[in-house]
Amino acid sequence: MTFGIFFRGLRNQACRYSPLLLAVILLSMAAFIGYDYFRTPPQGDLWRGHWAGCGNFHTLIDAADRNKLDYLSLDITDKETGQLFISGELILSADTYKKLRQKDDWSAAVSLGELRSPRASFGIDQYIDVDMQKGERRWGNAMVFRVKETRLHASGWLRDFPFDTYRAGFVPSLKMSGPRESNWTTVPLDTIITNVRLSDSMTVDKAVAWSDYVDNMVLTAAERKTTYGEDECALIVRRAPWYRTMVVLLIVLLCIPAAYLVFRPDDNPGVDLIAVILGVATIRQFLLGNLVDWTLYSIDMVFVLVTVITAAIPLWHIYRRHDVPRAGDPGS
């Protein structure tokens, strides 16, 4: 009998303090993730997967005189909402620049063409303007022209946050057009390279074969084994594993007030409900920013569900109290 009373009291204490214990565990895990995130050097495991490169880099590395090369260097970066942006530089040798200097009225653009694949991200090429009017002279009299930053076309949906995936595939080339010409002419370059430098919250995988990049489409055995060339860039961008874990921990943390109300029905539920509402607003603002044009994502449905459950638990306790017959009532 004594052991039964002891274990019953121990169980009641465990139920009473389990939400607090769960909160301590979640906060400890979040603190560990943050500590590992800030202490890992750029060469560590955390940084791995945030960089990728496309193009023939050996042309620049093995060149005896890089000042005599004409090449295009592109950079892909990301924003916190998963948007990808592309920019870069066009580097022309002194001899090439002298030939083009007489054609200042020509316009140049970087063309991102389709991949050799049964499925491309978009059916039309994307053109990015090159500022040919403001060149900067650098080493060996080479001229550098800026490729204006533009949002990169990619297939993917932010509504799947934080499990959203983006696919961007293209073949870059340099195009030029004269004042009286409507067609774009491809300008031969020694090499074109693309550097993908994403933030720590994103990872990038460079697809080697068609089967690595193409989804929702049946490929033949020959197509699955077909590899992309050096001039082709097929990228798959996802949220980093640590970032997804952080989002899941934050959502679980929002459930603690609801768990607390389950085990402590006599407490004031208004404080817990207000805490959940403020927590949802803060976390939503931190992860996705302000609500624009009532654009809702999958995670917003989770926020609504957590809030509704927290508000419904006190009503459930009231129903149970009225449903249990009291001593002295008829039928008790």
Side-chain angles (χ1 to χ4, degrees), residues 47-69:
W47 189 268
R48 190 175 304 162
H50 303 282
W51 181 89
C54 304
N56 187 1
F57 289 86
H58 294 287
T59 302
L60 298 177
I61 298 174
D62 301 336
D65 188 1
R66 187 181 297 183
N67 299 325
K68 296 183 179 180
L69 295 180

Side-chain angles (χ1 to χ4, degrees), residues 40-219:
T40 304
Q43 293 78 19
D45 293 334
L46 187 63
W47 189 268
R48 190 175 304 162
H50 303 282
W51 181 89
C54 304
N56 187 1
F57 289 86
H58 294 287
T59 302
L60 298 177
I61 298 174
D62 301 336
D65 188 1
R66 187 181 297 183
N67 299 325
K68 296 183 179 180
L69 295 180
D70 302 322
Y71 62 96
L72 180 65
S73 178
L74 300 175
D75 294 293
I76 296 178
T77 56
D78 66 296
K79 301 294 183 182
E80 62 276 1
T81 53
Q83 298 173 344
L84 301 177
F85 287 83
I86 186 169
S87 59
E89 294 178 335
L90 172 64
I91 296 91
L92 300 178
S93 63
D95 295 338
T96 304
Y97 175 68
K98 290 179 181 178
K99 297 177 182 178
L100 295 177
R101 189 161 57 176
Q102 299 176 355
K103 304 176 182 179
D104 291 337
D105 52 352
W106 279 42
S107 58
V110 175
S111 173
L112 304 181
E114 298 182 34
L115 293 175
R116 292 180 301 111
S117 171
R119 176 185 175 186
S121 297
F122 285 84
I124 58 175
D125 298 351
Q126 180 179 2
Y127 286 87
I128 307 171
D129 292 335
V130 181
D131 190 359
M132 299 296 293
Q133 304 299 324
K134 298 179 181 179
E136 178 183 352
R137 190 176 299 276
R138 292 186 183 175
W139 56 89
N141 291 327
M143 294 297 297
V144 180
F145 303 93
R146 184 174 62 90
V147 179
K148 299 180 180 179
E149 186 179 63
T150 307
R151 182 175 177 179
L152 179 64
H153 292 173
S155 60
W157 298 96
L158 182 59
R159 65 187 180 190
D160 298 329
F161 177 90
F163 301 100
D164 45 340
T165 301
Y166 304 93
R167 281 176 167 80
F170 53 86
V171 182
S173 61
L174 181 65
K175 304 283 187 177
M176 281 194 172
S177 176
R180 297 185 178 89
E181 299 178 6
S182 58
N183 297 327
W184 292 89
T185 304
T186 303
V187 179
L189 298 175
D190 295 304
T191 187
I192 299 176
I193 60 175
T194 302
N195 293 289
V196 185
R197 300 184 179 94
L198 303 181
S199 61
D200 294 336
S201 61
M202 308 291 287
T203 61
V204 57
D205 295 322
K206 178 184 175 183
V208 178
W210 286 9
S211 58
D212 301 330
Y213 181 77
V214 178
D215 64 335
N216 298 328
M217 180 171 288
V218 178
L219 302 178

Side-chain angles (χ1 to χ4, degrees), residues 7-22 256-265 267:
F7 284 113
R8 192 179 301 111
L10 183 63
R11 183 188 61 183
N12 293 336
Q13 292 296 324
C15 293
R16 179 180 180 182
Y17 293 105
S18 57
L20 180 61
L21 180 62
L22 180 60
I256 290 180
Y260 191 80
L261 288 175
V262 171
F263 297 108
R264 298 294 301 276
D267 289 348

